[in-house]
Amino acid sequence: MRDLLELAGSLGFVDEMLDAAEASPGEVDPSWLELFGASAGTAARAARGAPRSNGAAAPMPMLDRPGRTTLAPSRASPGVWPMVNAFRSRGHFAAKLDPLGLLEAVHVAELDPQTWGFSASAREQIIEPTGVHGLPRATLGELHARLTEVYCGSVGLEYMHISAPAKRSWLAQRCEAGSWRAPDAAVRRRMLEHLIGAESFERFCHVKYPGTKRFSLEGSESLIPMLALVLLHGSRLGAVEAVLGMAHRGRLTALEYVLRRAAREIFAEFQDVEPEASMGGGDVKYHLGYSTDRIDAEGRSMHVTLSFNPSHLEAIDPVVIGRVRAKQDRLGDHEHRKVIGVLVHGDAAFAGQGLVPETLNLTSLQGYATGGTVHIIVNNQVGFTANPSDSRSTPYCTDVAKMIECPIWHVNGEDLDAVAAVIAMAMEYRAAFGSDVVIDMYCYRKYGHNEMDEPSFTQPLMYQRIQQKDSIVETYGQRLVADGTMKQAEVDELVARRTEMLEAEHRAAKTMTERPRPLAMAGLWSGYHGGIEARPLDADTRVPRDRLTKIADALAAVPPGFTAHPKIERLLEQRAQMGRGGRPLDWGMAELLAYGSLVAEGISVRLSGQDSSRGTFSHRHAAVTDIRTGGEHVALSSLPDAVGKFHVFDSPLSEAGVLGFEFGYSLDSPDVLTLWEAQFGDFANGAQVMIDQFLMASEDKWRRLSGLVMLLPHGFEGQGPEHSSARLERYLESCAEHNIQVAQPTTPAQMFHLLRLQMLRTWRKPLVVMTPKSLLRLPAATSTLDELAHGSFQRVIADDAADPARVTRALFCSGRVYFDLVDERRRRQDATVAIVRVEKLYPWWDELIAGAVAPYRELREVFWVQDEPSNMGAGSFVAPRLGALAQGRGCAFRLVSRVESASPATGSHKAHVMEQNHILANAFGR
């Protein structure tokens, strides 16, 4: 019996396994029954991949399956189950997916009954049981016809790569028992109306704005009814919000028809109304986002957001997922039902862009799960000019999605009835299992990559076929008229009404004199602002000493019976001493006190990154592990009387995906301190698109603010080229219009006040912090409890130890080199040198810099000293600014650094020391 069960399970025959198991319970391990939902509770089934409970629309019970039969292997040919399994596993290869008919027909031998020992004359042989849901008894011919209809029609379903039998059984049951039946007449009429809306808008723009780049949707208009159905089913299943991400193709149509942005506003952007308002900023119309409260066809309201997107095609993916998670957290939606993420991909981008698997990998991780993302692929069967054979090494563009074992539906985009059935099934599967779903819609693009292309240069045969194609509105309209669903007059009326509306909107657009400005700072963001600071804006970041001590006591405690590592026990005792003022504060303690004080005041904190709970340099230990049980204790998550929440997540080994996620999270959480930490600062190189396209420019391009904090370990300490520089220069070279903040604090107290300042002001900008490595344990780089209780963040720290009457040279610096300079001055006993720390490099305040050296009447030289090579670090950013100050004071200016280099640092520790000594000699030499 056990062997029979294992065979049936490997072939996907879960029904038959349950029947056999229940018929002979004494022969079956009870865990098998639990695995397939026969006698386990909801939680146990969910843990094994069975459907989760869903009050909005409960999935069909596992034990209430239509067509269940008693296992009777003596009446079924041995070849039946392998043949059925072949259809389930490989039937999609024979599906009729391409509306152009260009894909080669594939002969799959496993789908032929003769492969499994059936003769040509066996078509009337009775098969019982068949192993197919909804078909307990049939002739071989009937069985083969049903399997061909289900698995080789307009839909090709891939699901046998999913390891959970309950999920496979759910999918097999849905498609085999229900097949791909046409939706009801009301849905079909709405889909035709959506198609007319999409095609009319695209053709209207093509006529009114010829040659203007818009990335036409013609040839893939089915995307619009698909999106409408996704939102409809999402709302029916309990969602109240949706966040969409898509690249360019069809974006304007989606904005106008799905999100219902006024067509006149889009036409005004075509006409480039009020160009002077966009000088130096803004973005092209097919990159812009929008949000609206949308009422669906069944009267339910849903807030829908289309996220802004740059030309880096899949860059929006993790951003959308982060936004979804932020909204879910805000709503207390711990089951991830109320907010859904929808991503629209191109086929070439889905297969080719590394951000796709990075984003997919987040789907089931504790800190990043959203209950499943809906992926729709607009499969034009071509990239910009490249054929699929040049774009991927896999049969399908979707094969990368198999890594997360989600179902993949391939569907012919011109069979709207099949499209509707796929969307309904996919949305129910997502709701039942909290899983991503992938819908690969085969279609084509009518005009090439954009409206200025000539696609027949590279795909002549394809475009010959496209020129001969009737539009989908014509073919689907004729289908509905032919089967009596609609009358031709009704179809004509829909087209005429849509055209009249677009003409009216076009006339209105011609009268507009101001560029449309969709509201971006409403709702959650109404109490915050961006823009340029006229002066440094501060807030009271002090925390009473007794509150700090209370937080420190909580940080030093572990639950009863908890066994920490002996070294961690010593660390906790040291933290208790720090909280009582008996020991100087180190960086880790000051940072945790900043988080704890914010949480106590009702401000939540979310920190993620590679090894962030412990910290790359074993300095944070925000989570402590029980060495006996492996359980974790996060003290800041259980602070007494805390109003806010603290979460720390060790992220996957991904930079672009996780940074994009956290940026997205920050967009919908202005009141949460959201931090991303790189393992080493230069690891952020892998996320450069996120930094350049989103963090640096989102306010300028899209009027969207973010308060995301990036923690980037930085410091030249002989660890080689890959573990020295966070590429400070890259951030500074993009600084303009107070778009971001860049800081390099030198003491724990400075870090404490900087983090609190980020949240206690209403001015929201990304903050890039060059965090230390060796300073984490340097005795000179410590602070006192009083500095936290009574101090504030100082953007520039003057040299209180210098004698103003004797100073002739001022050394400006930032970061760890300060401590080297102080030691060298002490060694030389040079009283003519003052050392000024610039703790916040941007925004740069000339008056603060000048004020730091104002007392030095005898000043003759101003140096900028850095450990980085001269072509890196802050040198090129600082030089013109400090040079102007020096010139104004009649002083000479000089940059002191390592020599210009293509690599950030040497790989030799001895060479590093020699270079560092050379810097110090130049800083103090005469």
Side-chain angles (χ1 to χ4, degrees):
M1 175 63 71
R2 177 77 180 219
D3 292 342
L4 179 61
L5 288 171
E6 290 181 349
L7 171 62
S10 69
L11 299 176
F13 293 96
V14 178
D15 275 349
E16 287 69 23
M17 294 174 68
L18 287 173
D19 284 325
E22 291 166 4
S24 306
E27 300 181 40
V28 182
D29 188 327
S31 65
W32 278 76
L33 296 180
E34 291 188 10
L35 180 61
F36 301 112
S39 61
T42 301
R45 289 201 305 274
R48 293 166 172 82
R52 58 183 185 178
S53 61
N54 184 356
M60 193 178 297
M62 286 296 300
L63 299 181
D64 196 14
R65 297 178 297 277
R68 283 188 61 187
T69 59
T70 302
L71 190 66
S74 61
R75 298 189 60 190
S77 168
V80 170
W81 284 10
M83 184 183 72
V84 174
N85 183 66
F87 272 94
R88 290 173 172 172
S89 301
R90 297 175 61 77
H92 54 87
F93 285 122
K96 302 168 185 65
L97 302 176
D98 182 10
L100 297 176
L102 292 172
L103 284 179
E104 288 186 32
V106 176
H107 175 70
V108 183
E110 295 98 316
L111 308 183
D112 187 338
Q114 294 187 47
T115 301
W116 305 108
F118 294 101
S119 66
S121 60
R123 291 188 60 82
E124 300 305 316
Q125 178 181 338
I126 298 296
I127 307 296
E128 184 180 10
T130 65
V132 174
H133 295 273
L135 191 69
R137 185 177 188 273
T139 66
L140 176 64
E142 291 169 339
L143 173 61
H144 190 268
R146 171 66 73 85
L147 291 170
T148 301
E149 174 195 1
V150 170
Y151 291 108
C152 306
S154 295
V155 179
L157 172 59
E158 292 189 88
Y159 67 101
M160 294 301 284
H161 59 280
I162 299 173
S163 59
K167 293 180 179 180
R168 296 199 307 269
S169 182
W170 190 100
L171 290 161
Q173 185 180 64
R174 285 301 196 277
C175 62
E176 292 172 8
S179 190
W180 306 111
R181 297 192 184 105
D184 61 40
V187 173
R188 300 179 83 203
R189 285 194 293 266
R190 285 201 302 269
M191 287 196 296
L192 178 60
E193 186 174 357
H194 297 332
L195 290 174
I196 290 171
E199 183 183 87
S200 298
F201 180 82
E202 290 289 352
R203 292 188 173 184
F204 190 88
C205 294
H206 192 68
V207 171
K208 300 295 183 181
Y209 307 104
T212 303
K213 189 186 293 186
R214 71 180 194 278
F215 296 95
S216 169
L217 190 64
E218 288 189 71
S220 46
E221 295 95 336
S222 297
L223 174 64
I224 298 305
M226 286 183 83
L227 289 174
L229 285 168
V230 165
L231 298 177
L232 180 78
H233 288 296
S235 180
R236 176 174 63 82
L237 293 164
V240 296
E241 287 198 56
V243 185
L244 277 62
M246 61 187 298
H248 311 329
R249 189 153 317 284
R251 187 183 187 90
L252 296 180
T253 310
L255 274 168
E256 191 270 341
Y257 195 83
V258 179
L259 278 85
R260 298 167 186 171
R261 185 182 182 192
R264 67 186 65 185
E265 294 186 2
I266 298 174
F267 295 154
E269 289 171 347
F270 272 105
Q271 293 159 196
D272 209 3
V273 172
E274 197 187 7
E276 62 276 8
S278 294
M279 292 181 67
D283 203 347
V284 292
K285 53 188 170 294
Y286 46 81
H287 285 175
L288 303 179
Y290 194 72
S291 63
T292 186
D293 291 316
R294 185 180 186 275
I295 306 297
D296 66 28
E298 296 178 1
R300 288 180 294 265
S301 176
M302 175 183 277
H303 186 73
V304 183
T305 299
L306 175 64
S307 290
F308 43 80
N309 197 60
S311 285
H312 294 73
L313 296 178
E314 299 294 333
I316 196 61
D317 296 355
V319 177
V320 164
I321 308 308
R323 297 191 69 176
V324 170
R325 178 58 181 261
K327 290 175 181 289
Q328 291 173 340
D329 287 353
R330 182 170 297 282
L331 293 172
D333 181 19
H334 304 303
E335 291 192 347
H336 309 309
R337 297 186 183 279
K338 296 180 180 178
V339 188
I340 58 175
V342 183
L343 292 174
V344 181
H345 312 267
D347 51 317
F350 195 81
Q353 296 286 303
L355 265 172
V356 172
E358 285 195 33
T359 304
L360 291 171
N361 188 47
L362 300 176
T363 187
S364 297
L365 302 182
Q366 178 188 8
Y368 312 91
T370 61
T373 299
V374 181
H375 300 270
I376 296 175
I377 296 167
V378 179
N379 193 336
N380 296 305
Q381 308 181 72
V382 64
F384 190 157
T385 64
N387 292 310
S389 59
D390 300 315
S391 301
R392 62 177 188 263
S393 299
T394 56
Y396 296 114
C397 66
T398 56
D399 285 333
V400 67
K402 291 180 181 177
M403 64 181 279
I404 58 169
E405 296 195 1
C406 68
I408 300 167
W409 289 265
H410 308 281
V411 59
N412 187 321
E414 293 208 342
D415 188 343
L416 266 294
D417 294 343
V419 166
V422 164
I423 296 295
M425 187 187 299
M427 294 303 292
E428 288 178 7
Y429 183 91
R430 178 200 170 274
F433 296 102
S435 166
D436 283 32
V437 291
V438 176
I439 301 127
D440 177 19
M441 182 188 73
Y442 276 72
C443 51
Y444 60 92
R445 63 178 197 207
K446 187 172 181 178
Y447 296 115
H449 183 66
N450 61 58
E451 289 65 36
M452 292 176 285
D453 271 347
E454 177 45 74
S456 62
F457 287 164
T458 51
Q459 279 78 32
L461 300 180
M462 174 182 282
Y463 279 87
Q464 286 176 18
R465 189 70 58 89
I466 289 172
Q467 289 170 6
Q468 299 165 6
K469 284 280 295 177
D470 292 332
S471 79
I472 191 171
V473 168
E474 295 171 348
T475 56
Y476 194 61
Q478 291 167 4
R479 183 174 176 181
L480 297 192
V481 170
D483 63 22
T485 302
M486 295 185 73
K487 293 181 172 61
Q488 185 61 49
E490 293 178 287
V491 177
D492 295 340
E493 172 62 21
L494 288 174
V495 174
R497 193 187 319 147
R498 176 66 167 157
T499 302
E500 181 181 347
M501 184 276 285
L502 292 172
E503 289 286 2
E505 289 291 295
H506 186 248
R507 290 192 296 271
K510 287 185 173 181
T511 67
M512 295 177 66
T513 57
E514 293 184 354
R515 179 174 292 273
R517 294 176 177 84
L519 197 60
M521 296 299 296
L524 290 173
W525 285 94
S526 59
Y528 302 90
H529 69 283
I532 298 175
E533 284 186 293
R535 56 183 177 80
L537 299 176
D538 286 308
D540 187 355
T541 57
R542 298 172 297 174
V543 177
R545 183 165 173 151
D546 59 344
R547 188 185 303 169
L548 293 170
T549 299
K550 186 177 180 180
I551 296 170
D553 288 342
L555 287 169
V558 295
F562 190 97
T563 306
H565 190 282
K567 291 183 178 180
I568 299 302
E569 289 180 343
R570 289 195 294 274
L571 171 68
L572 297 179
E573 175 55 34
Q574 291 169 359
R575 286 181 172 174
Q577 295 171 12
M578 294 177 194
R580 292 188 290 268
R583 185 184 182 96
L585 294 168
D586 62 17
W587 282 83
M589 186 59 170
E591 182 188 349
L592 292 176
L593 287 173
Y595 300 149
S597 62
L598 289 171
V599 169
E601 294 167 23
I603 297 172
S604 294
V605 176
R606 175 188 168 93
L607 167 63
S608 82
Q610 296 154 10
D611 312 296
S612 285
S613 60
R614 191 203 76 170
T616 298
F617 310 101
S618 195
H619 76 287
R620 183 175 292 120
H621 293 285
V624 179
T625 303
D626 189 318
I627 60 173
R628 292 185 302 108
T629 67
E632 282 192 343
H633 170 62
V634 182
L636 291 179
S637 296
S638 54
L639 283 181
D641 305 320
V643 182
K645 298 178 181 179
F646 175 81
H647 295 290
V648 59
F649 300 108
D650 289 336
S651 76
L653 200 65
S654 159
E655 287 81 36
V658 177
L659 179 58
F661 183 100
E662 301 303 341
F663 173 77
Y665 196 98
S666 74
L667 292 176
D668 286 273
S669 297
D671 54 350
V672 175
L673 178 59
T674 306
L675 308 100
W676 175 75
E677 182 176 50
Q679 192 174 78
F680 283 88
D682 63 343
F683 286 16
N685 293 351
Q688 204 62 41
V689 168
M690 294 299 167
I691 294 165
D692 291 344
Q693 300 296 330
F694 290 103
L695 266 80
M696 295 293 177
S698 61
E699 182 180 2
D700 198 28
K701 292 194 292 188
W702 306 308
R703 299 179 62 235
R704 291 307 306 262
L705 302 180
S706 166
L708 180 68
V709 179
M710 292 176 61
L711 304 178
L712 307 179
H714 175 83
F716 282 63
E717 296 149 359
Q719 296 190 46
E722 311 306 323
H723 293 157
S724 295
S725 176
R727 295 288 188 173
L728 173 60
E729 64 278 359
R730 291 184 179 171
Y731 301 94
L732 292 175
E733 73 179 4
S734 297
C735 288
E737 302 172 300
H738 290 186
N739 57 333
I740 63 168
Q741 308 166 80
V742 181
Q744 191 170 18
T746 53
T747 69
Q750 282 285 88
M751 186 69 168
F752 173 88
H753 290 294
L754 176 64
L755 292 172
R756 287 181 52 80
L757 184 63
Q758 178 72 356
M759 294 307 297
L760 298 181
R761 296 189 299 174
T762 57
W763 191 67
R764 282 289 178 271
K765 302 282 177 156
L767 170 62
V768 180
V769 186
M770 302 286 119
T771 56
K773 302 196 297 286
S774 65
L775 300 191
L776 295 173
R777 294 174 179 83
L778 185 70
T782 56
S783 300
T784 66
L785 207 59
D786 283 341
E787 289 178 273
L788 276 55
H790 305 295
S792 63
F793 179 72
Q794 301 175 66
R795 293 167 176 81
V796 179
I797 301 179
D799 191 346
D800 294 336
D803 181 355
R806 302 180 64 185
V807 169
T808 60
R809 179 182 295 178
L811 304 180
F812 283 85
C813 64
S814 184
R816 65 161 304 284
V817 73
Y818 164 77
F819 295 97
D820 292 340
L821 293 172
V822 169
D823 287 344
E824 183 69 11
R825 182 175 64 179
R826 185 184 302 113
R827 189 183 70 80
R828 290 173 178 257
Q829 296 184 347
D830 190 341
T832 66
V833 174
I835 306 172
V836 180
R837 286 172 278 176
V838 181
E839 301 280 289
K840 199 168 191 179
L841 290 154
Y842 194 78
W844 178 276
W845 299 103
D846 288 319
E847 59 270 33
L848 297 181
I849 298 294
V853 293
Y856 307 142
R857 304 281 184 187
E858 303 301 319
L859 189 65
R860 297 291 178 267
E861 297 172 305
V862 174
F863 288 6
W864 174 259
V865 184
Q866 63 181 41
D867 352 54
E868 300 92 344
S870 61
N871 58 317
M872 301 178 189
S876 60
F877 175 83
V878 167
R881 293 164 171 83
L882 270 185
L885 168 69
Q887 185 177 14
R889 290 285 302 265
C891 300
F893 172 76
R894 184 180 172 192
L895 171 65
V896 178
S897 67
R898 282 175 166 78
V899 298
E900 182 179 80
S901 173
S903 175
T906 177
S908 162
H909 183 76
K910 290 183 177 179
H912 161 78
V913 173
M914 293 171 65
E915 292 172 352
Q916 203 73 5
N917 289 336
H918 187 68
I919 289 172
L920 297 176
N922 285 340
F924 287 92
R926 299 293 175 177

